[in-house]
Amino acid sequence: MGRVPNKKKFKIAKSSMSSIINYDIETENEIDNNINDSQASRSSDVLPVIKQLSSADPTERAWAASCASNLIAGEEKIRRLLLSKDIIRLLIDRLTDNVYEVIYECVGTLRNLTVIGEYEIRAEMFNKDILTPLTLLISKISIIIDNLLKGISYESDPIEGARKNIWMFTENIICILWALSETSQKILRRINNMNIVPFLMAFFTQVEKIPLKTLVAAAQCLHTITDDNSDIHSQFEQNPQYLQTLMNVLNLEITTNLNDDHILIKVLCCGVILNLNSVIVSPVSRTDFDMCINDYLKSCLNYDIENAANEAKEVSSNIRIVDSVTNHPKDDLPTVEEEKLISINSKLTILQLVLELLAKMCLECFSQDDDNLQDEMQNDDEIGINDSFAENKTVDLDVQMSNTHDQSFLNGSEHPILNMFATDIISDLIRLSRPTSLSYPEQLGHNVIPVKSVVPTITDSLAMVHLRAVECMNNFFLTMVDIVEEKWWFVKHRDAAKYTWTRLVEVANQVAGKGIKVGAEDPGQKMRGTVLEALVGCLWTLARGLNGEVPLAENQIQAFIQCYKSTISESMRVKLIGTLGVIAKRQNAIEDNKLIGTFIIGIVRNLSDLSRMDSLSIECIAESLNAIYDIYADKDFDYDEPVFVREGYLHVLESIVDNVHKITKSIDEKESREQRLLMDEVYINLVAFIKYKKDEQFIK
């Protein structure tokens, strides 16, 4: 499995928490009581709304903006009709209205448009210059909030009548900026120039006076704009007190009425501090920051997801029973039972973010320059195998990598965060990767109408928690294998690593259940396949770390091979080949090597006939050949003579040289540069490997 870094801008994962702060958007915007659901669902309502947004009567303008919000939240075809009538431009034009109620309703409607999550809508807002009036509004509401917190009379406010709902108004504006900042680099650069960091940070200097929803929105926006954003980082460098302010929030003890929003705000502050890793220059302060963050994030892993699943099922059952015996119309506000489900889902989505941040710590906080490291590793890999074949030696990548890192970092035993992962967090991650009774919809087999989860939202959140837990583990294992010297965890915690392999194989079996064809899952079973593939990738990394000591159970190799044959996911196939390739290198297991070697050479043998190539991807070809090079790199391995030599693998490799060359040359360098570089390397290494093995046999 590839690394799972905290990706660059504009990935969906960063906005995954939007459900926590947006689930009640539609009810929080004031909608005229005279507009009922049946009216809001008819396309005939659209034209009056469009017309009255430009009315001379401010009451009608406010009504139109509010009604537009209701229509936007309804049927998609009505929303599309509104958009086709240039509703976005009309709403933005009204942001400079001379009546506050009109501005308030327009801001709320624009926020609801961003919640839809479509790139085109947010891009159109930017192109219609929404940031100019928002900049002016931010300057005005900053004064209003400052006056309010200082007890200054409302007569000094720059917007008359804004105090009555200033916090909701502020939250809506921040959420619009948050959504826009995730849309494109161009928009982000404009937002950088708005100098909104002082505006957002001001909320965290008086957290006890600011409503939680507004704080959550500010934290979300900060978390996004500080991610890999040097312009924003420079503002924190120039104002070091900002970091201390965030740490104060993180250390704030909340003794009464602790709820999900309090937890989310602290987790987001952790995320912002992690994003600002390059700003923390003092080694002492960096350790303090990291440990404080890690301690808090670790405490969030204690949530019992099995108990949450059982509670969700019980609550859902109670709701269905009440609905079946009650004929009263449903209120807009959620019931007590529904509030319980909302709380469970909030906790699960917070847990997802916690796991993402821990995964980021594994991958980014323990290296001085990860991008440079990857470039160096890639360059080393490109020449390493060729050199080893040509000079009949093994390249020690660990030695090469140690030259690029500070030794105090590389010594995992002296790193407190690595130690905490090794001794505490891994066990939590294993637990969180294990399916609950509600994690996936029931498997009913093929040609059977699938049964939906009794609580689909909770099921989706649980499955995402499992995925994030596995990805976090994989990042930790990758750090231990590729960055930390001497694979510290795998050496000092060998038994724990073996135990983890056994537990993750069990989890993989539980996820697969009655069997699942990754890449062609039954409806509703897609997340099973996604999590299963992530688990295989994690096992691959574990196998690399354990090297010759993978604790295989009976028929485990056959299970991996069968999994390869059943999946139609090329990335899954690559991971399975890679895992088997590592397992095959064990000594004193000749029969296992022969089983795996026969399987992989069978894949390679297909290259002798290009007409049979349709089912093989470039990545599978490369991984299969690289596995052969790696497994049989030395004649002194006890399996080399009985398997590679006696089974005629060299002849098979010789028979495919021309076709591998043809495949390589057929890849357009401009359209598929990475694939072309990959196959260029594979072809060069194939020729070198054949010569190397011939020379090796001749010497023998």
Side-chain angles (χ1 to χ4, degrees), residues 130-386:
I130 190 175
L131 292 182
T132 296
L134 285 185
T135 301
L136 180 61
L137 287 174
I138 287 173
S139 66
K140 291 181 178 181
I141 62 177
S142 295
I143 296 173
I144 296 172
I145 291 173
D146 191 51
N147 288 346
L148 178 63
L149 295 178
K150 290 179 178 178
I152 299 174
S153 173
Y154 66 87
E155 285 87 358
S156 301
D157 292 350
I159 305 178
E160 183 180 352
R163 284 197 184 189
K164 61 183 178 182
N165 47 27
I166 187 63
W167 299 117
M168 188 65 213
F169 186 48
T170 303
E171 180 189 332
N172 284 340
I173 288 176
I174 294 172
C175 286
I176 291 171
L177 291 173
W178 171 37
L180 291 173
S181 68
E182 293 188 315
T183 305
S184 75
Q185 287 286 357
K186 180 180 180 181
I187 297 176
L188 182 63
R189 284 192 292 271
R190 273 288 306 276
I191 291 175
N192 289 346
N193 294 332
M194 289 174 63
N195 194 31
I196 64 169
V197 170
F199 169 68
L200 295 173
M201 285 302 304
F203 295 111
F204 298 97
T205 60
Q206 303 189 61
V207 292
E208 71 282 355
K209 297 181 180 180
I210 311 296
L212 287 177
K213 293 294 182 184
T214 307
L215 282 171
V216 168
Q220 285 278 19
C221 192
L222 270 176
H223 185 214
T224 294
I225 65 172
T226 54
D227 182 17
D228 195 21
N229 189 343
S230 58
D231 290 339
I232 296 296
H233 290 185
S234 65
Q235 295 186 42
F236 279 85
E237 286 182 297
Q238 295 163 13
N239 297 275
Q241 73 275 14
Y242 288 167
L243 269 172
Q244 188 57 56
T245 297
L246 294 172
M247 286 295 292
N248 293 341
V249 174
L250 195 55
N251 292 321
L252 184 66
E253 290 192 19
I254 302 167
T255 57
T256 58
N257 300 321
L258 178 66
N259 64 27
D260 297 338
D261 286 334
H262 288 112
I263 299 171
L264 177 58
I265 289 165
K266 288 192 173 188
V267 171
L268 286 166
C269 284
C270 289
V272 174
I273 294 170
L274 284 174
N275 288 341
L276 298 169
N277 193 44
S278 62
V279 176
I280 308 172
V281 294
S282 167
V284 176
S285 64
R286 183 186 300 275
T287 300
D288 291 342
F289 278 124
D290 286 350
M291 284 307 299
C292 184
I293 292 169
N294 203 67
D295 286 341
Y296 185 73
L297 294 180
K298 180 184 177 299
S299 70
C300 294
L301 298 180
N302 296 329
Y303 187 53
D304 189 337
I305 60 173
E306 182 63 52
N307 183 64
N310 293 333
E311 184 181 358
K313 288 194 296 185
E314 181 180 352
V315 170
S316 176
S317 177
N318 292 339
I319 291 174
R320 290 198 302 274
I321 292 172
V322 171
D323 288 346
S324 66
V325 298
T326 304
N327 294 321
H328 298 299
K330 182 174 175 57
D331 295 330
D332 288 337
L333 295 176
T335 65
V336 173
E337 298 295 305
E338 289 169 337
E339 287 283 7
K340 289 181 181 178
L341 290 180
I342 290 173
S343 178
I344 292 171
N345 193 58
S346 295
K347 289 179 173 63
L348 290 172
T349 43
I350 291 171
L351 185 54
Q352 292 168 28
L353 179 58
V354 168
L355 292 166
E356 289 178 20
L357 296 181
L358 287 170
K360 178 176 182 175
M361 290 185 74
C362 289
L363 205 58
E364 294 183 0
C365 290
F366 305 138
S367 63
Q368 295 174 341
D369 190 344
D370 191 57
D371 291 335
N372 289 341
L373 170 63
Q374 292 185 53
D375 291 341
E376 290 169 16
M377 288 176 61
Q378 182 177 4
N379 292 335
D380 287 341
D381 287 343
E382 289 176 358
I383 64 173
I385 296 180
N386 293 335

Side-chain angles (χ1 to χ4, degrees), residues 26-185:
E26 295 157 17
T27 60
E28 287 182 320
N29 283 314
E30 296 176 0
I31 299 174
D32 193 283
N33 292 330
N34 294 326
I35 305 299
N36 58 41
D37 291 340
S38 62
Q39 288 175 310
S41 65
R42 293 199 303 266
S43 60
S44 58
D45 289 328
V46 170
L47 292 179
V49 166
I50 298 298
K51 181 179 179 181
Q52 291 182 15
L53 271 173
S54 303
S55 171
D57 185 345
T59 303
E60 290 187 353
R61 297 198 300 273
W63 172 90
S66 179
C67 187
S69 180
N70 197 28
L71 291 166
I72 285 165
E75 300 174 16
E76 183 179 358
K77 63 180 180 180
I78 304 301
R79 182 166 62 249
R80 290 296 171 194
L81 182 57
L82 274 169
L83 292 171
S84 71
K85 298 297 182 181
D86 209 11
I87 186 69
I88 290 177
R89 180 187 62 79
L90 293 171
L91 290 168
I92 292 174
D93 287 346
R94 296 272 65 82
L95 294 182
T96 53
D97 202 287
N98 57 3
V99 177
Y100 168 69
E101 285 73 14
V102 177
I103 300 173
Y104 173 77
E105 295 294 350
C106 288
V107 166
T109 302
L110 286 164
R111 176 189 177 178
N112 281 358
L113 274 170
T114 65
V115 172
I116 296 170
E118 296 180 7
Y119 169 86
E120 292 79 9
I121 291 175
R122 298 193 300 270
E124 184 177 350
M125 287 183 184
F126 174 75
N127 291 334
K128 294 287 195 300
D129 197 23
I130 190 175
L131 292 182
T132 296
L134 285 185
T135 301
L136 180 61
L137 287 174
I138 287 173
S139 66
K140 291 181 178 181
I141 62 177
S142 295
I143 296 173
I144 296 172
I145 291 173
D146 191 51
N147 288 346
L148 178 63
L149 295 178
K150 290 179 178 178
I152 299 174
S153 173
Y154 66 87
E155 285 87 358
S156 301
D157 292 350
I159 305 178
E160 183 180 352
R163 284 197 184 189
K164 61 183 178 182
N165 47 27
I166 187 63
W167 299 117
M168 188 65 213
F169 186 48
T170 303
E171 180 189 332
N172 284 340
I173 288 176
I174 294 172
C175 286
I176 291 171
L177 291 173
W178 171 37
L180 291 173
S181 68
E182 293 188 315
T183 305
S184 75
Q185 287 286 357

